Each structure stands twice: as C-alpha cells, then as structure tokens.
Short mmCIF file of all heavy atoms in Angstrom, two decimals:
data_model
loop_
_atom_site.label_atom_id
_atom_site.label_comp_id
_atom_site.label_asym_id
_atom_site.label_seq_id
_atom_site.Cartn_x
_atom_site.Cartn_y
_atom_site.Cartn_z
N MET S 1 -198.42 -126.58 58.25
CA MET S 1 -199.36 -126.55 57.13
C MET S 1 -199.63 -127.99 56.71
O MET S 1 -198.72 -128.76 56.50
CB MET S 1 -198.73 -125.73 56.01
CG MET S 1 -199.56 -125.46 54.83
SD MET S 1 -200.74 -124.10 54.80
CE MET S 1 -199.91 -122.65 55.29
N ALA S 2 -200.89 -128.33 56.62
CA ALA S 2 -201.31 -129.68 56.22
C ALA S 2 -201.93 -129.62 54.83
O ALA S 2 -202.44 -128.60 54.41
CB ALA S 2 -202.31 -130.24 57.22
N THR S 3 -201.88 -130.75 54.15
CA THR S 3 -202.51 -130.84 52.83
C THR S 3 -203.89 -131.46 52.99
O THR S 3 -204.05 -132.47 53.67
CB THR S 3 -201.64 -131.69 51.88
OG1 THR S 3 -200.34 -131.13 51.81
CG2 THR S 3 -202.24 -131.74 50.49
N TYR S 4 -204.85 -130.83 52.35
CA TYR S 4 -206.23 -131.30 52.39
C TYR S 4 -206.70 -131.59 50.98
O TYR S 4 -206.24 -130.99 50.02
CB TYR S 4 -207.15 -130.23 53.01
CG TYR S 4 -206.96 -130.05 54.49
CD1 TYR S 4 -205.94 -129.28 54.99
CD2 TYR S 4 -207.82 -130.68 55.38
CE1 TYR S 4 -205.76 -129.12 56.36
CE2 TYR S 4 -207.66 -130.52 56.74
CZ TYR S 4 -206.63 -129.74 57.22
OH TYR S 4 -206.46 -129.58 58.57
N GLU S 5 -207.64 -132.52 50.89
CA GLU S 5 -208.31 -132.81 49.63
C GLU S 5 -209.75 -132.34 49.79
O GLU S 5 -210.37 -132.57 50.83
CB GLU S 5 -208.27 -134.30 49.33
CG GLU S 5 -208.97 -134.68 48.04
CD GLU S 5 -208.87 -136.16 47.75
OE1 GLU S 5 -209.03 -136.96 48.67
OE2 GLU S 5 -208.66 -136.49 46.58
N TYR S 6 -210.25 -131.65 48.79
CA TYR S 6 -211.63 -131.17 48.78
C TYR S 6 -212.35 -131.89 47.66
O TYR S 6 -211.96 -131.80 46.51
CB TYR S 6 -211.66 -129.66 48.56
CG TYR S 6 -210.91 -128.90 49.63
CD1 TYR S 6 -209.57 -128.60 49.47
CD2 TYR S 6 -211.54 -128.51 50.79
CE1 TYR S 6 -208.87 -127.93 50.44
CE2 TYR S 6 -210.85 -127.82 51.77
CZ TYR S 6 -209.51 -127.54 51.59
OH TYR S 6 -208.83 -126.88 52.58
N ILE S 7 -213.39 -132.62 48.03
CA ILE S 7 -214.17 -133.35 47.03
C ILE S 7 -215.44 -132.54 46.80
O ILE S 7 -216.26 -132.39 47.71
CB ILE S 7 -214.49 -134.77 47.49
CG1 ILE S 7 -213.18 -135.51 47.78
CG2 ILE S 7 -215.33 -135.50 46.46
CD1 ILE S 7 -213.33 -136.79 48.53
N VAL S 8 -215.57 -132.00 45.60
CA VAL S 8 -216.69 -131.15 45.23
C VAL S 8 -217.68 -131.98 44.42
O VAL S 8 -217.31 -132.54 43.39
CB VAL S 8 -216.20 -129.92 44.42
CG1 VAL S 8 -217.36 -129.03 44.04
CG2 VAL S 8 -215.15 -129.14 45.20
N MET S 9 -218.93 -132.05 44.91
CA MET S 9 -219.95 -132.84 44.23
C MET S 9 -221.14 -131.95 43.90
O MET S 9 -221.56 -131.14 44.73
CB MET S 9 -220.41 -133.99 45.12
CG MET S 9 -219.31 -135.00 45.37
SD MET S 9 -219.82 -136.28 46.55
CE MET S 9 -219.68 -135.37 48.08
N GLY S 10 -221.63 -132.12 42.70
CA GLY S 10 -222.81 -131.36 42.28
C GLY S 10 -222.86 -131.25 40.78
O GLY S 10 -221.87 -131.47 40.09
N TYR S 11 -224.02 -130.90 40.29
CA TYR S 11 -224.24 -130.74 38.85
C TYR S 11 -223.84 -132.00 38.10
O TYR S 11 -223.33 -131.95 36.99
CB TYR S 11 -223.47 -129.54 38.30
CG TYR S 11 -223.75 -128.26 39.03
CD1 TYR S 11 -222.72 -127.51 39.58
CD2 TYR S 11 -225.05 -127.78 39.19
CE1 TYR S 11 -222.97 -126.33 40.26
CE2 TYR S 11 -225.31 -126.61 39.87
CZ TYR S 11 -224.27 -125.89 40.40
OH TYR S 11 -224.52 -124.74 41.09
N GLY S 12 -224.02 -133.16 38.74
CA GLY S 12 -223.77 -134.43 38.06
C GLY S 12 -222.32 -134.84 37.98
O GLY S 12 -221.97 -135.73 37.21
N SER S 13 -221.43 -134.23 38.77
CA SER S 13 -220.03 -134.60 38.71
C SER S 13 -219.41 -134.58 40.10
O SER S 13 -219.96 -134.04 41.05
CB SER S 13 -219.26 -133.66 37.79
OG SER S 13 -219.23 -132.36 38.35
N GLU S 14 -218.24 -135.19 40.21
CA GLU S 14 -217.46 -135.19 41.43
C GLU S 14 -216.04 -134.79 41.06
O GLU S 14 -215.42 -135.41 40.20
CB GLU S 14 -217.48 -136.58 42.06
CG GLU S 14 -216.78 -136.66 43.40
CD GLU S 14 -216.96 -138.02 44.05
OE1 GLU S 14 -218.10 -138.47 44.19
OE2 GLU S 14 -215.92 -138.61 44.40
N THR S 15 -215.52 -133.74 41.69
CA THR S 15 -214.21 -133.22 41.35
C THR S 15 -213.34 -133.13 42.59
O THR S 15 -213.70 -132.44 43.55
CB THR S 15 -214.34 -131.80 40.74
OG1 THR S 15 -215.23 -131.85 39.63
CG2 THR S 15 -212.99 -131.27 40.29
N PRO S 16 -212.19 -133.83 42.60
CA PRO S 16 -211.28 -133.68 43.73
C PRO S 16 -210.33 -132.50 43.49
O PRO S 16 -209.82 -132.30 42.39
CB PRO S 16 -210.51 -135.00 43.74
CG PRO S 16 -210.55 -135.47 42.33
CD PRO S 16 -211.81 -134.92 41.72
N LEU S 17 -210.13 -131.70 44.52
CA LEU S 17 -209.19 -130.57 44.46
C LEU S 17 -208.25 -130.69 45.65
O LEU S 17 -208.64 -131.19 46.71
CB LEU S 17 -209.95 -129.24 44.53
CG LEU S 17 -211.03 -129.01 43.48
CD1 LEU S 17 -211.85 -127.78 43.83
CD2 LEU S 17 -210.39 -128.85 42.11
N ALA S 18 -207.03 -130.22 45.52
CA ALA S 18 -206.06 -130.26 46.61
C ALA S 18 -205.76 -128.84 47.07
O ALA S 18 -205.81 -127.89 46.28
CB ALA S 18 -204.79 -130.95 46.17
N GLY S 19 -205.48 -128.69 48.34
CA GLY S 19 -205.12 -127.39 48.89
C GLY S 19 -204.40 -127.55 50.20
O GLY S 19 -204.36 -128.63 50.78
N ALA S 20 -203.81 -126.48 50.68
CA ALA S 20 -203.11 -126.50 51.95
C ALA S 20 -203.84 -125.59 52.93
O ALA S 20 -204.40 -124.57 52.55
CB ALA S 20 -201.67 -126.03 51.77
N ALA S 21 -203.83 -125.97 54.19
CA ALA S 21 -204.45 -125.17 55.24
C ALA S 21 -203.66 -125.38 56.53
O ALA S 21 -203.02 -126.42 56.72
CB ALA S 21 -205.91 -125.59 55.44
N THR S 22 -203.70 -124.39 57.40
CA THR S 22 -202.95 -124.49 58.65
C THR S 22 -203.68 -125.30 59.71
O THR S 22 -203.07 -125.76 60.67
CB THR S 22 -202.64 -123.08 59.21
OG1 THR S 22 -203.88 -122.38 59.38
CG2 THR S 22 -201.75 -122.31 58.28
N SER S 23 -205.00 -125.48 59.54
CA SER S 23 -205.78 -126.22 60.53
C SER S 23 -207.07 -126.73 59.89
O SER S 23 -207.41 -126.34 58.77
CB SER S 23 -206.13 -125.30 61.71
OG SER S 23 -207.01 -124.28 61.27
N ASP S 24 -207.78 -127.56 60.64
CA ASP S 24 -209.08 -128.04 60.16
C ASP S 24 -210.04 -126.86 59.98
O ASP S 24 -210.86 -126.85 59.07
CB ASP S 24 -209.68 -129.05 61.13
CG ASP S 24 -208.97 -130.40 61.10
OD1 ASP S 24 -208.11 -130.63 60.22
OD2 ASP S 24 -209.29 -131.23 61.97
N GLN S 25 -209.95 -125.86 60.86
CA GLN S 25 -210.82 -124.68 60.75
C GLN S 25 -210.54 -123.92 59.45
O GLN S 25 -211.46 -123.47 58.77
CB GLN S 25 -210.64 -123.75 61.95
CG GLN S 25 -211.62 -122.60 61.97
CD GLN S 25 -213.08 -123.05 62.06
OE1 GLN S 25 -213.40 -124.04 62.72
NE2 GLN S 25 -213.96 -122.35 61.40
N ASP S 26 -209.27 -123.79 59.07
CA ASP S 26 -208.94 -123.14 57.80
C ASP S 26 -209.42 -123.97 56.62
O ASP S 26 -209.83 -123.43 55.59
CB ASP S 26 -207.43 -122.88 57.69
CG ASP S 26 -206.97 -121.74 58.57
OD1 ASP S 26 -207.81 -120.92 58.99
OD2 ASP S 26 -205.76 -121.66 58.84
N ALA S 27 -209.39 -125.29 56.76
CA ALA S 27 -209.91 -126.17 55.71
C ALA S 27 -211.41 -125.96 55.56
O ALA S 27 -211.94 -125.99 54.45
CB ALA S 27 -209.60 -127.63 56.03
N TYR S 28 -212.11 -125.74 56.68
CA TYR S 28 -213.54 -125.43 56.64
C TYR S 28 -213.78 -124.15 55.84
O TYR S 28 -214.64 -124.10 54.96
CB TYR S 28 -214.08 -125.28 58.06
CG TYR S 28 -215.50 -124.76 58.13
CD1 TYR S 28 -216.57 -125.62 57.92
CD2 TYR S 28 -215.75 -123.43 58.39
CE1 TYR S 28 -217.87 -125.15 57.97
CE2 TYR S 28 -217.06 -122.96 58.45
CZ TYR S 28 -218.11 -123.82 58.24
OH TYR S 28 -219.39 -123.34 58.29
N SER S 29 -213.00 -123.11 56.12
CA SER S 29 -213.15 -121.84 55.40
C SER S 29 -212.92 -122.02 53.91
O SER S 29 -213.63 -121.44 53.08
CB SER S 29 -212.17 -120.80 55.95
OG SER S 29 -212.47 -120.50 57.29
N GLU S 30 -211.95 -122.82 53.56
CA GLU S 30 -211.65 -123.08 52.14
C GLU S 30 -212.81 -123.84 51.49
O GLU S 30 -213.21 -123.55 50.36
CB GLU S 30 -210.36 -123.89 52.02
CG GLU S 30 -209.85 -124.03 50.62
CD GLU S 30 -209.32 -122.75 50.01
OE1 GLU S 30 -208.97 -121.80 50.73
OE2 GLU S 30 -209.26 -122.69 48.76
N ALA S 31 -213.40 -124.81 52.20
CA ALA S 31 -214.54 -125.56 51.68
C ALA S 31 -215.74 -124.65 51.46
O ALA S 31 -216.44 -124.76 50.45
CB ALA S 31 -214.89 -126.71 52.61
N VAL S 32 -215.97 -123.72 52.39
CA VAL S 32 -217.06 -122.76 52.22
C VAL S 32 -216.81 -121.89 50.99
O VAL S 32 -217.73 -121.60 50.23
CB VAL S 32 -217.22 -121.89 53.49
CG1 VAL S 32 -218.14 -120.71 53.23
CG2 VAL S 32 -217.74 -122.73 54.65
N GLN S 33 -215.57 -121.51 50.76
CA GLN S 33 -215.23 -120.70 49.59
C GLN S 33 -215.51 -121.48 48.30
O GLN S 33 -216.07 -120.93 47.35
CB GLN S 33 -213.76 -120.27 49.64
CG GLN S 33 -213.34 -119.38 48.51
CD GLN S 33 -214.06 -118.04 48.51
OE1 GLN S 33 -214.35 -117.48 49.58
NE2 GLN S 33 -214.37 -117.52 47.35
N PHE S 34 -215.14 -122.77 48.26
CA PHE S 34 -215.44 -123.59 47.08
C PHE S 34 -216.95 -123.64 46.84
O PHE S 34 -217.41 -123.48 45.72
CB PHE S 34 -214.91 -125.02 47.25
CG PHE S 34 -213.43 -125.18 47.05
CD1 PHE S 34 -212.68 -125.93 47.93
CD2 PHE S 34 -212.78 -124.60 45.98
CE1 PHE S 34 -211.32 -126.10 47.76
CE2 PHE S 34 -211.42 -124.74 45.79
CZ PHE S 34 -210.69 -125.50 46.68
N LEU S 35 -217.72 -123.86 47.92
CA LEU S 35 -219.17 -123.94 47.79
C LEU S 35 -219.74 -122.61 47.31
O LEU S 35 -220.62 -122.56 46.44
CB LEU S 35 -219.81 -124.35 49.11
CG LEU S 35 -221.30 -124.61 49.08
CD1 LEU S 35 -221.65 -125.74 48.11
CD2 LEU S 35 -221.79 -124.95 50.47
N SER S 36 -219.23 -121.51 47.83
CA SER S 36 -219.68 -120.18 47.42
C SER S 36 -219.44 -119.95 45.93
O SER S 36 -220.30 -119.41 45.22
CB SER S 36 -218.95 -119.12 48.24
OG SER S 36 -219.26 -117.83 47.78
N GLU S 37 -218.28 -120.36 45.45
CA GLU S 37 -217.97 -120.19 44.02
C GLU S 37 -218.91 -121.03 43.16
O GLU S 37 -219.35 -120.58 42.10
CB GLU S 37 -216.51 -120.55 43.76
CG GLU S 37 -215.55 -119.53 44.36
CD GLU S 37 -214.10 -119.95 44.30
OE1 GLU S 37 -213.79 -121.01 43.69
OE2 GLU S 37 -213.26 -119.23 44.86
N LEU S 38 -219.22 -122.24 43.62
CA LEU S 38 -220.18 -123.07 42.87
C LEU S 38 -221.55 -122.42 42.83
O LEU S 38 -222.23 -122.44 41.81
CB LEU S 38 -220.29 -124.46 43.51
CG LEU S 38 -219.12 -125.39 43.30
CD1 LEU S 38 -219.28 -126.62 44.18
CD2 LEU S 38 -219.01 -125.80 41.85
N MET S 39 -221.97 -121.84 43.95
CA MET S 39 -223.27 -121.18 44.02
C MET S 39 -223.32 -119.97 43.08
O MET S 39 -224.35 -119.70 42.47
CB MET S 39 -223.58 -120.73 45.44
CG MET S 39 -223.74 -121.86 46.44
SD MET S 39 -225.25 -122.78 46.25
CE MET S 39 -226.44 -121.55 46.70
N GLN S 40 -222.22 -119.26 42.95
CA GLN S 40 -222.18 -118.10 42.06
C GLN S 40 -222.32 -118.51 40.60
O GLN S 40 -222.84 -117.75 39.79
CB GLN S 40 -220.90 -117.31 42.26
CG GLN S 40 -220.88 -116.56 43.57
CD GLN S 40 -219.55 -115.87 43.82
OE1 GLN S 40 -218.64 -115.92 43.02
NE2 GLN S 40 -219.46 -115.20 44.96
N GLU S 41 -221.84 -119.71 40.27
CA GLU S 41 -221.95 -120.20 38.90
C GLU S 41 -223.39 -120.56 38.56
O GLU S 41 -223.76 -120.60 37.39
CB GLU S 41 -221.06 -121.43 38.71
CG GLU S 41 -219.59 -121.12 38.75
CD GLU S 41 -218.73 -122.37 38.67
OE1 GLU S 41 -219.28 -123.48 38.46
OE2 GLU S 41 -217.52 -122.24 38.83
N LYS S 42 -224.19 -120.85 39.56
CA LYS S 42 -225.59 -121.23 39.34
C LYS S 42 -226.37 -119.98 38.95
O LYS S 42 -226.33 -118.97 39.63
CB LYS S 42 -226.15 -121.84 40.64
CG LYS S 42 -227.46 -122.49 40.49
CD LYS S 42 -227.28 -123.85 39.88
CE LYS S 42 -228.61 -124.56 39.85
NZ LYS S 42 -228.66 -125.55 38.82
N SER S 43 -227.08 -120.03 37.88
CA SER S 43 -227.87 -118.90 37.42
C SER S 43 -229.01 -118.62 38.40
O SER S 43 -229.73 -119.52 38.81
CB SER S 43 -228.45 -119.18 36.03
OG SER S 43 -229.40 -118.20 35.70
N ALA S 44 -229.18 -117.37 38.77
CA ALA S 44 -230.25 -116.98 39.69
C ALA S 44 -231.62 -117.21 39.06
O ALA S 44 -232.61 -117.37 39.76
CB ALA S 44 -230.09 -115.51 40.07
N LEU S 45 -231.69 -117.24 37.75
CA LEU S 45 -232.97 -117.41 37.07
C LEU S 45 -233.33 -118.88 36.86
O LEU S 45 -234.46 -119.20 36.53
CB LEU S 45 -232.95 -116.68 35.73
CG LEU S 45 -232.72 -115.17 35.81
CD1 LEU S 45 -232.63 -114.57 34.41
CD2 LEU S 45 -233.84 -114.51 36.59
N GLU S 46 -232.37 -119.75 37.03
CA GLU S 46 -232.61 -121.18 36.82
C GLU S 46 -233.42 -121.72 38.00
O GLU S 46 -233.10 -121.48 39.16
CB GLU S 46 -231.28 -121.93 36.71
CG GLU S 46 -231.45 -123.35 36.25
CD GLU S 46 -230.11 -124.01 35.99
OE1 GLU S 46 -229.15 -123.30 35.68
OE2 GLU S 46 -230.06 -125.23 36.11
N THR S 47 -234.47 -122.46 37.71
CA THR S 47 -235.35 -122.93 38.76
C THR S 47 -235.23 -124.43 39.03
O THR S 47 -235.99 -124.97 39.83
CB THR S 47 -236.81 -122.60 38.43
OG1 THR S 47 -237.15 -123.23 37.19
CG2 THR S 47 -237.03 -121.11 38.36
N ALA S 48 -234.30 -125.09 38.38
CA ALA S 48 -234.13 -126.52 38.59
C ALA S 48 -233.56 -126.78 39.99
O ALA S 48 -232.68 -126.06 40.45
CB ALA S 48 -233.19 -127.09 37.54
N PRO S 49 -234.08 -127.78 40.69
CA PRO S 49 -233.53 -128.12 42.01
C PRO S 49 -232.06 -128.52 41.88
O PRO S 49 -231.64 -129.06 40.85
CB PRO S 49 -234.36 -129.31 42.46
CG PRO S 49 -235.56 -129.33 41.59
CD PRO S 49 -235.17 -128.65 40.31
N PHE S 50 -231.29 -128.27 42.93
CA PHE S 50 -229.90 -128.68 42.91
C PHE S 50 -229.42 -128.99 44.33
O PHE S 50 -230.02 -128.57 45.31
CB PHE S 50 -229.01 -127.61 42.27
CG PHE S 50 -228.87 -126.36 43.10
CD1 PHE S 50 -227.87 -126.23 44.04
CD2 PHE S 50 -229.75 -125.31 42.94
CE1 PHE S 50 -227.74 -125.09 44.80
CE2 PHE S 50 -229.63 -124.15 43.68
CZ PHE S 50 -228.63 -124.05 44.63
N LYS S 51 -228.34 -129.75 44.40
CA LYS S 51 -227.67 -130.04 45.67
C LYS S 51 -226.17 -130.02 45.40
O LYS S 51 -225.69 -130.66 44.47
CB LYS S 51 -228.09 -131.39 46.22
CG LYS S 51 -227.43 -131.70 47.55
CD LYS S 51 -227.94 -133.01 48.12
CE LYS S 51 -227.28 -133.27 49.46
NZ LYS S 51 -227.75 -134.53 50.05
N LEU S 52 -225.46 -129.26 46.20
CA LEU S 52 -224.01 -129.16 46.09
C LEU S 52 -223.40 -129.61 47.41
O LEU S 52 -223.97 -129.40 48.48
CB LEU S 52 -223.58 -127.73 45.81
CG LEU S 52 -224.16 -127.08 44.56
CD1 LEU S 52 -223.83 -125.60 44.54
CD2 LEU S 52 -223.63 -127.77 43.33
N SER S 53 -222.23 -130.20 47.34
CA SER S 53 -221.57 -130.68 48.54
C SER S 53 -220.06 -130.55 48.39
O SER S 53 -219.52 -130.77 47.30
CB SER S 53 -221.94 -132.15 48.76
OG SER S 53 -221.30 -132.68 49.87
N VAL S 54 -219.39 -130.18 49.47
CA VAL S 54 -217.93 -130.14 49.50
C VAL S 54 -217.49 -130.90 50.75
O VAL S 54 -217.96 -130.61 51.86
CB VAL S 54 -217.38 -128.70 49.54
CG1 VAL S 54 -215.86 -128.72 49.64
CG2 VAL S 54 -217.81 -127.91 48.33
N ILE S 55 -216.62 -131.88 50.57
CA ILE S 55 -216.06 -132.63 51.69
C ILE S 55 -214.58 -132.25 51.79
O ILE S 55 -213.84 -132.33 50.81
CB ILE S 55 -216.20 -134.14 51.48
CG1 ILE S 55 -217.67 -134.52 51.38
CG2 ILE S 55 -215.50 -134.90 52.60
CD1 ILE S 55 -217.91 -135.96 50.98
N ALA S 56 -214.16 -131.83 52.98
CA ALA S 56 -212.75 -131.53 53.23
C ALA S 56 -212.17 -132.66 54.06
O ALA S 56 -212.75 -133.06 55.07
CB ALA S 56 -212.61 -130.20 53.97
N GLN S 57 -211.02 -133.18 53.63
CA GLN S 57 -210.36 -134.23 54.39
C GLN S 57 -208.86 -134.09 54.28
O GLN S 57 -208.35 -133.59 53.29
CB GLN S 57 -210.80 -135.62 53.92
CG GLN S 57 -210.41 -135.95 52.50
CD GLN S 57 -211.01 -137.27 52.02
OE1 GLN S 57 -212.09 -137.65 52.45
NE2 GLN S 57 -210.32 -137.95 51.16
N ARG S 58 -208.17 -134.47 55.34
CA ARG S 58 -206.71 -134.49 55.27
C ARG S 58 -206.31 -135.58 54.28
O ARG S 58 -206.92 -136.65 54.25
CB ARG S 58 -206.10 -134.80 56.63
CG ARG S 58 -206.17 -133.62 57.58
CD ARG S 58 -205.47 -133.99 58.88
NE ARG S 58 -205.55 -132.88 59.79
CZ ARG S 58 -204.50 -132.15 60.15
NH1 ARG S 58 -203.31 -132.43 59.66
NH2 ARG S 58 -204.64 -131.16 60.99
N VAL S 59 -205.31 -135.32 53.48
CA VAL S 59 -204.86 -136.32 52.50
C VAL S 59 -204.42 -137.56 53.27
O VAL S 59 -203.64 -137.47 54.22
CB VAL S 59 -203.73 -135.76 51.62
CG1 VAL S 59 -203.11 -136.86 50.78
CG2 VAL S 59 -204.27 -134.66 50.72
N GLY S 60 -204.99 -138.69 52.89
CA GLY S 60 -204.70 -139.95 53.56
C GLY S 60 -205.45 -140.13 54.86
O GLY S 60 -205.21 -141.09 55.59
N GLY S 61 -206.36 -139.22 55.15
CA GLY S 61 -207.10 -139.30 56.42
C GLY S 61 -208.59 -139.35 56.22
O GLY S 61 -209.09 -139.57 55.12
N ARG S 62 -209.29 -139.10 57.30
CA ARG S 62 -210.75 -139.15 57.25
C ARG S 62 -211.30 -137.76 56.97
O ARG S 62 -210.63 -136.75 57.22
CB ARG S 62 -211.29 -139.67 58.57
CG ARG S 62 -210.97 -138.78 59.75
CD ARG S 62 -211.61 -139.32 61.03
NE ARG S 62 -211.30 -138.46 62.14
CZ ARG S 62 -211.87 -137.30 62.40
NH1 ARG S 62 -212.81 -136.84 61.61
NH2 ARG S 62 -211.52 -136.57 63.43
N PRO S 63 -212.53 -137.68 56.48
CA PRO S 63 -213.15 -136.37 56.26
C PRO S 63 -213.26 -135.60 57.58
O PRO S 63 -213.52 -136.19 58.63
CB PRO S 63 -214.53 -136.71 55.72
CG PRO S 63 -214.38 -138.08 55.14
CD PRO S 63 -213.37 -138.77 56.01
N VAL S 64 -213.03 -134.29 57.52
CA VAL S 64 -213.15 -133.45 58.72
C VAL S 64 -214.34 -132.50 58.62
O VAL S 64 -214.84 -132.04 59.64
CB VAL S 64 -211.86 -132.66 59.01
CG1 VAL S 64 -210.74 -133.60 59.41
CG2 VAL S 64 -211.44 -131.81 57.83
N TRP S 65 -214.79 -132.18 57.41
CA TRP S 65 -215.94 -131.30 57.21
C TRP S 65 -216.73 -131.74 56.00
O TRP S 65 -216.16 -132.18 55.01
CB TRP S 65 -215.50 -129.84 56.96
CG TRP S 65 -214.86 -129.19 58.13
CD1 TRP S 65 -213.54 -128.94 58.29
CD2 TRP S 65 -215.50 -128.69 59.29
NE1 TRP S 65 -213.30 -128.33 59.49
CE2 TRP S 65 -214.50 -128.15 60.12
CE3 TRP S 65 -216.81 -128.63 59.73
CZ2 TRP S 65 -214.78 -127.58 61.36
CZ3 TRP S 65 -217.08 -128.06 60.97
CH2 TRP S 65 -216.07 -127.54 61.75
N ARG S 66 -218.04 -131.59 56.08
CA ARG S 66 -218.92 -131.78 54.92
C ARG S 66 -219.88 -130.59 54.93
O ARG S 66 -220.58 -130.37 55.90
CB ARG S 66 -219.71 -133.08 55.01
CG ARG S 66 -220.61 -133.29 53.81
CD ARG S 66 -221.44 -134.56 53.96
NE ARG S 66 -222.13 -134.81 52.74
CZ ARG S 66 -221.78 -135.74 51.84
NH1 ARG S 66 -220.75 -136.51 52.06
NH2 ARG S 66 -222.47 -135.90 50.74
N ILE S 67 -219.89 -129.86 53.85
CA ILE S 67 -220.73 -128.67 53.72
C ILE S 67 -221.66 -128.90 52.53
O ILE S 67 -221.20 -129.28 51.45
CB ILE S 67 -219.86 -127.41 53.51
CG1 ILE S 67 -218.89 -127.28 54.66
CG2 ILE S 67 -220.73 -126.18 53.36
CD1 ILE S 67 -217.79 -126.30 54.38
N GLU S 68 -222.95 -128.67 52.74
CA GLU S 68 -223.93 -128.90 51.68
C GLU S 68 -224.84 -127.70 51.51
O GLU S 68 -225.07 -126.94 52.46
CB GLU S 68 -224.79 -130.12 52.00
CG GLU S 68 -224.02 -131.41 52.04
CD GLU S 68 -224.91 -132.60 52.31
OE1 GLU S 68 -225.95 -132.46 52.98
OE2 GLU S 68 -224.54 -133.69 51.86
N SER S 69 -225.32 -127.56 50.30
CA SER S 69 -226.31 -126.54 49.99
C SER S 69 -227.27 -127.13 48.96
O SER S 69 -226.84 -127.84 48.05
CB SER S 69 -225.64 -125.30 49.41
OG SER S 69 -226.59 -124.33 49.07
N SER S 70 -228.54 -126.85 49.14
CA SER S 70 -229.52 -127.34 48.15
C SER S 70 -230.65 -126.34 48.05
O SER S 70 -230.86 -125.51 48.94
CB SER S 70 -230.06 -128.71 48.56
OG SER S 70 -230.74 -128.63 49.79
N ALA S 71 -231.34 -126.42 46.95
CA ALA S 71 -232.49 -125.54 46.73
C ALA S 71 -233.47 -126.22 45.80
O ALA S 71 -233.10 -127.01 44.93
CB ALA S 71 -232.05 -124.21 46.12
N SER S 72 -234.75 -125.92 46.01
CA SER S 72 -235.80 -126.39 45.10
C SER S 72 -236.87 -125.30 45.08
O SER S 72 -237.11 -124.63 46.08
CB SER S 72 -236.36 -127.72 45.55
OG SER S 72 -236.90 -127.62 46.84
N PRO S 73 -237.50 -125.13 43.93
CA PRO S 73 -238.51 -124.09 43.83
C PRO S 73 -239.75 -124.43 44.66
O PRO S 73 -240.09 -125.61 44.82
CB PRO S 73 -238.84 -124.05 42.34
CG PRO S 73 -238.41 -125.35 41.80
CD PRO S 73 -237.29 -125.84 42.68
N CYS S 74 -240.38 -123.44 45.21
CA CYS S 74 -241.64 -123.62 45.94
C CYS S 74 -242.79 -123.58 44.94
O CYS S 74 -242.76 -122.81 43.99
CB CYS S 74 -241.83 -122.52 46.97
SG CYS S 74 -240.63 -122.57 48.29
N SER S 75 -243.80 -124.39 45.17
CA SER S 75 -244.93 -124.37 44.26
C SER S 75 -246.12 -123.70 44.90
O SER S 75 -246.33 -123.66 46.03
CB SER S 75 -245.36 -125.75 43.85
OG SER S 75 -244.47 -126.74 44.08
#
C-alpha cells in the first residue's frame, strides 16, 4: 500500500488530500471519485463556467494522474 497525495483544484481554491492506494490504477479510481464528488456539489441549475482538476501523486514523487472536467454554457 502506497501513500498518495491528491491535489484538488477548482472553485477558486486548491486543496491537498492524502490517501492510500495499492497501485497507481487505484489512485486513479480515487481521483475520479474526488472529481465525481466535486461535480455533485455543483448545482445543476448553475450556468457559470467551471473547471475542476484532481492530480494524484505518490507522496514525495511525481504526479501519476491528472483528471479534469470543465463546462461552459452554450449560447
């Protein structure tokens, strides 16, 4: 089991979170879960453009995954 740091960026802030995963693939799944939770917090009725990002990296190492989501209203 390795320790990973997840850097969550969006809504004007950057938040580091720590977690454990058995592999880089499991760290990817955890990053997707963080992004999903952020998306659920976003109101479906809100039309302001947004961009969310989660970077997963081994503690003391280099980033292994970057997952992004963005949306903007169509005119």
Side-chain angles (χ1 to χ4, degrees):
M1 186 82 52
T3 303
Y4 289 81
E5 180 178 42
Y6 301 91
I7 302 167
V8 180
M9 295 175 283
Y11 307 125
S13 66
E14 184 174 307
T15 305
L17 304 169
T22 57
S23 66
D24 288 352
Q25 187 61 36
D26 286 341
Y28 171 80
S29 295
E30 189 70 21
V32 168
Q33 183 64 36
F34 283 135
L35 186 60
S36 174
E37 290 171 6
L38 287 170
M39 295 288 293
Q40 288 176 1
E41 291 175 7
K42 191 79 175 155
S43 169
L45 299 176
E46 191 173 333
T47 59
F50 69 90
K51 181 176 181 180
L52 302 171
S53 178
V54 178
I55 299 172
Q57 64 187 31
R58 285 183 181 250
V59 170
R62 63 177 180 77
V64 293
W65 293 104
R66 180 183 188 103
I67 303 166
E68 296 182 332
S69 178
S70 62
S72 59
C74 295
S75 344

